[in-house]
Amino acid sequence: MKNSGISFTIEGFINGLVCLVNKENEVFLWNPTIRKCKKLPNFRTQLKNEGYCTYGFGYDEIHDDYMVVCIFSIVGCPPHFQEIDIYS
């Protein structure tokens, strides 16, 4: 990510980890303390480029696990279509 020239949106941060998304809807987890970044698998399956994405980032204390939730929606065609993917 260093000097990539690509802008990112911060979708959330927990316990020092930052969830970032770029314009291509690539999702990254970044730990600025140790300067490490991990690109997550591609979430876009059925919707391709026809819809929009809403992201969430959270921590499950019971399982000691971080999760990224991606909700893909298409509103232009009835019925309203959504697909939800979770990465943990």
Side-chain angles (χ1 to χ4, degrees):
M1 289 179 37
K2 191 174 189 179
N3 299 323
S4 68
I6 299 172
S7 63
F8 287 86
T9 301
I10 297 174
E11 293 295 335
F13 54 92
I14 299 171
N15 298 332
L17 286 181
V18 182
C19 181
L20 304 166
V21 179
N22 65 17
K23 290 183 180 181
E24 286 78 33
N25 286 312
E26 296 173 314
V27 181
F28 296 84
L29 291 181
W30 175 45
N31 186 331
T33 304
I34 61 172
R35 297 182 182 187
K36 296 281 184 177
C37 182
K38 177 179 174 118
K39 181 181 176 195
L40 301 186
N42 189 358
F43 286 100
R44 299 190 71 100
T45 55
Q46 294 180 5
L47 293 184
K48 308 287 184 220
N49 293 321
E50 302 168 8
Y52 67 92
C53 307
T54 304
Y55 296 94
F57 181 52
Y59 177 70
D60 179 357
E61 291 181 5
I62 295 172
H63 296 100
D64 189 29
D65 196 15
Y66 294 91
M67 296 183 178
V68 177
V69 177
C70 298
I71 302 170
F72 303 102
S73 302
I74 297 178
V75 289
C77 56
H80 185 73
F81 177 81
Q82 287 187 326
E83 178 178 310
I84 300 172
D85 292 327
I86 299 173
Y87 178 85
S88 75

